[in-house]
Structures are given as C-alpha cells and as structure tokens.
C-alpha cells in the first residue's frame, strides 16, 4: 500500500512539473537581443526600413535596378473594416500596423489589440512584392506605389473594399497591387496585376514575408509569459514550430507546393498563405536585428502585351481553428495543443458545442468536466476498489513483514502469493490514473490556448476566465477539495518525509493555482468535486458488498 501511495504522489507531482515545464517551454519569451542593445537595435531597424530585406530572384542575372523615386515616400493609407484597422505604407505596400477591433487589450475597453507595429523597438510588419528583371522590389530599393486616396472605410451594407496601389517600372510595365478586405474576415487578399506593355517577355516572382524585431519586449510574467516565435507549413509537414534562435542556426530553405509562414503570439497569429498551385520556396533569415520568415513563388514569364495576376493571402487575427483550417492545411495547428493535439481538438470541439448550447464558457467548462469524468467513471471505480483492497490487505502484509523480517526474497514471494490468493493487483490503483492523465493534460491545453476563453465572462467576480482569480476563491476551494479527497484515503505511509509531502500537497497546489487562469482552476475544482461524489458512491457500493473501505 505504501509503495502504491508513493507512486500516486510521485505521479501527481511529476504531471504538475511536466505541465509547468511544457508551458514554460511553449510560451517563454525568446529574448535574443539584450536590453542594453535596444538603442543600437532601434538605429539599425530604422535604417532597415529605408531599404529592407528582399529575397533574391532565382536567377541573379534577371535582377536589374528599378525606379526608387521616393517623392511619394511613406504616404500612409488607413483602412478600417468591421474587424481590422490597418495602416499600409505606399513604400513597398507594407502593412505596418494592424489593430484587431473586436479584441480589446482590456476587457470591455476600446483599446484594440495591436499585432503589427512599425515602431523600431517593437517592429512587426508584413511585407510583400515582386522581384526579378522586371520586378518592382529589389534588395537595393522598394517599390514606391501611388494610391487614389489615403483613407478607406468599409461602409454599412458593403461586403468588400479594394485598396489599389499602382506603379510603373522603368521598362514601362504597369503593376497594380490590390488589397481586398471582406466584411467579418481577418484575411486580406493581396494580388498583383502585371500588365506587360513592352515588346519583350517580363520575368517576375512574387514574395511575401513577416518581419519582427528581436529586441526583448515587456509584457507577460513569470507564470504567464508572452510567446514570440514563428511556424510554417508545407505539403509534407502540416505544422512546424520555428523558434527565433533557429533562424540563425538553421536558415529555412524549403520548396513545397502551397505552404504558409506565420508569426505566433499566445492567442493571435499573422500568416502569409502562398498560392496552392505551383512550387513556392519558404525562407528565413535575420537582418538588422529582425527575424524574417517568408515565401517566394515561381518565376513567371509574362509575354509581351499580356496581363497576368498573382495573389496570396495575409491573415492577421485570432487563432480561430475553424477559420485557420479553411485557409490552409495545418494552419489550425498554430493553436498549439502540443503532442496531444489529436485529443485536444475533439475536446475543444465538444467544449465549443456545449458553449453554443449554454452561452457561457464557465458553464461549458463545468459540463465538459462532468462529461469527461462521467466517461471515466469505470476507471475511477477500478482505482478506488483497488486501493480499498490494498488497505484491507495491510494487516496481512504487516504479518508477512514480521514473519520474514529483512529477507526481501521471501517477503517478495509471500506478497505475490498473497496478491494472487486475494485476486488483488498492487498496481490496479495506478493504471487507471495513468490512463486518465492524457485526457486531463489535453483538456488543460484546450483551456490554456483557446482564444475563445480570452475575456470570457463566467459569473460573479470571475469576469475573465483567461486570467487568475482576482480574489483567490477558486484556488482556495480547489485546495480544500484536495484536502477532502485525502480524508477519504486514510494515510498508511510510514515514512515521515512522504507523510509531510502528502499532507501539505493541497496547500502547495493551492498556491500553484493562484497564478493560473481561472478557467483552468475551475476545471480542476469541478473535477475534484466530481471525484469526491464518485468516491462516496463507490465506497457505499463496496460496503454493501462487504468490502472494507477504511
């Protein structure tokens, strides 16, 4: 019995430790540039904005100088829809600012969450363009577009607005870069119409990239840090996480059909989605203290006198799994549930289905916990029955110990014979718990990573399930429920150290839960309460059958 109890204690501590380590690894800030280098980084970043990194065309001989007239330099275009407020720079047609209108920074506030920013120390922008002999973007300069007006607003009743940027290359090729915004969407179609008015073929390649400063940012905390990193998807690998340190050590250079590249935060993502047809090359680099990840399309040959259109999709918004799955294969995996994603996704689908019925995420968490615990009742029953049988054998085990003393071989044989005679599996109480762990961990990541719980109201003082309980009520109740569970399982441990660990575990876990989102603690509390009820039912049933439970 003591060894079984020890295994249970160690198992619980190990699971808690692994959850903490995995959370820290998945969400810890990737601080690459020390704070003391911020001023230097700002200077270099401002310089990089003047020219910027642009990938080389496949055939270097195709590259030739372009018109880099800057008379229209940095004429900013403001675009407002029902979901986005974007600022586009006519120099390169870069998206240099993006606010998510429906996702305020503070709950109920009007301070929209900002994804993109062109501030030097927190640079994070989306760039795109054309390269090649007749391309308008080169490493020596960016295209300088003209635009009819500087403000675009999606009016009531409108479903789409188009923001056209245009320029003419020195050869006389007319390029129109269109940004197409759709009501209710965070996805923006970016297309290029290339009108070859010359007497010879034009050769161009489309590219798109995300650029983010590596200067350490403020925000987050020890227990709830803000994640910064990248990811990409190819035809062969639907989702690959790509941390900033890997940009320098392992530069990306992958050819794939379709594909996408992304920059990730806790609840939000920006991504360029390449055309699904043709072969694209995914790349990454570090330039002027900024991480860059992008894709480059195939080289296009446009016959003289003809017009060709190429396009890609920019998404900047929440990690909404249904939306992301519809945009590109594997993009929904940016909602990073870890190695148990295959289990977390159906659990999230169930949670969302329940929410659609009850209209409250806190109530949905309670119901899904009831469903999961109910489905695993037979495992809980086996666990408690096994533990009760082991307690009943405690006097006989003590007799064996008194009889054989320090003779471990005879003691071991006597115990095995006793287990066989009484039909008791000494590990029967551990296996059910081990089988339940993947489900608990999967649900843990669902509640931690799902943007739907951000600013989600529950009841009374719990107005945001994604932040810790401000009054610590849930952590205290959870610790109390763990204490009551202990009372149902009389302590038979003889080792003083193990006794102390087991005795004070509820207190330690209560302190631990103070720093975790209220939604997670609510789930754990309800799980404990259900376990208490199930234990009472199981023990009552066992006593009716004449089995000793205490």
């Amino acid at each position: 019995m003591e060894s079984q109890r020890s295994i249970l204690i160690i198992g619980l501590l190990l699971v808690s430790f692994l959850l903490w380590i995995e959370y820290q690894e998945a969400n810890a800030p990737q601080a690459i540039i020390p704070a003391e280098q911020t001023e230097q980084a700002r200077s270099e970043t401002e310089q990089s904005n003047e020219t910027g990194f642009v990938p080389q065309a496949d055939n270097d001989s195709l590259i030739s100088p372009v018109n880099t007239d800057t008379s229209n330099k940095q004429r900013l275009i403001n675009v407002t829809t029902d979901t986005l407020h974007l600022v586009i720079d006519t120099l390169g047609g870069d998206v240099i600012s993006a606010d998510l209108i429906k996702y305020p920074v503070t709950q109920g506030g009007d301070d929209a969450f900002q994804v993109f920013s062109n501030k030097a120390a927190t640079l994070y922008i989306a760039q795109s363009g054309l390269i090649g002999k007749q391309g308008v973007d080169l490493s020596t300069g960016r295209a300088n577009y003209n635009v009819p007006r500087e403000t675009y607003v999606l009016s009531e009743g409108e479903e789409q607005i188009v923001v056209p940027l245009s320029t003419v290359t020195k050869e006389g090729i007319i390029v129109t870069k269109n940004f197409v915004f759709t009501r209710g969407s965070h996805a923006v179609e970016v297309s290029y119409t290339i009108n070859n008015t010359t007497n010879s073929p034009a050769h161009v390649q489309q590219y798109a990239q995300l650029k983010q400063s590596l200067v350490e940012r403020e925000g987050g905390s020890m227990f709830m840090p803000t994640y910064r990193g990248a990811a990409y998807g190819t035809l062969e690998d639907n989702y690959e996480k790509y941390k900033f340190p890997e940009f320098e050590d392992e530069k990306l250079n992958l050819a794939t059909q379709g594909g996408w590249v992304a920059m990730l935060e806790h609840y939000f993502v920006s991504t360029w989605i390449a055309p699904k047809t043709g072969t694209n090359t995914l790349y990454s680099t570090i330039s002027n203290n900024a991480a860059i990840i992008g894709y480059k399309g195939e080289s296009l040959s446009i016959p003289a006198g003809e017009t060709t259109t190429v396009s890609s999709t920019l998404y900047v918004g929440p990690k909404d799994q249904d939306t992301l799955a519809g945009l590109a294969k594997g993009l929904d995996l940016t909602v990073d549930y870890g190695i148990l994603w295959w289990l977390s996704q159906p659990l999230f689908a169930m949670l969302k289905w329940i929410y659609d019925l009850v209209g409250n995420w806190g109530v949905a968490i309670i119901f899904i916990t009831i469903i999961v615990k109910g489905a695993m009742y037979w495992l809980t029953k086996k666990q408690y029955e096994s533990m009760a049988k082991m307690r009943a054998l405690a006097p006989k085990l003590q007799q064996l110990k008194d009889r054989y003393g320090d003779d471990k071989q005879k003691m071991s044989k006597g115990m095995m014979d006793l287990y066989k005679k009484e039909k008791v599996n000494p590990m029967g109480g551990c296996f059910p718990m081990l089988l339940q762990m993947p489900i608990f961990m999967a649900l843990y990541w669902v509640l931690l990573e799902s943007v739907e719980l951000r600013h989600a109201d529950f009841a009374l003082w719990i107005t945001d399930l994604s932040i810790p309980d401000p009054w610590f009520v849930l952590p205290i109740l959870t610790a109390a429920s763990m204490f009551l569970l202990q009372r149902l399982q009389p302590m038979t441990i003889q080792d003083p150290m193990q006794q102390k660990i087991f005795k004070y575990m509820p207190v330690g876990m209560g302190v631990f839960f103070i720093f975790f989102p209220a939604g997670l603690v609510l789930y754990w509390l309800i799980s404990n309460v259900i376990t208490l009820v199930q234990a009472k039912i199981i023990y009552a049933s066992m006593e009716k059958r004449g089995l000793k439970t205490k």
Side-chain angles (χ1 to χ4, degrees), residues 423-451:
K423 297 180 180 180
V424 173
N425 181 358
M427 299 299 293
C430 297
F431 285 134
M433 185 183 71
L434 293 174
L435 290 174
Q436 295 177 61
M437 282 183 185
I439 297 177
F440 290 149
M441 292 181 70
L443 193 53
Y444 169 92
W445 285 108
V446 166
L447 300 178
L448 189 66
E449 289 293 320
S450 300
V451 67

Side-chain angles (χ1 to χ4, degrees), residues 274-292:
K276 293 180 173 60
T277 58
T279 301
N280 304 294
T281 301
L282 310 187
Y283 64 86
S284 69
T285 190
I286 291 181
S287 175
N288 291 315
N289 295 324
I292 297 173

Side-chain angles (χ1 to χ4, degrees), residues 50-52 54 66-68 91 136-143 207:
E50 297 298 319
T51 56
V54 176
V66 298
N67 181 7
T68 56
L91 185 62
V136 293
D137 282 4
L138 295 177
S139 58
T140 55
R142 303 295 310 284
Y207 79 94

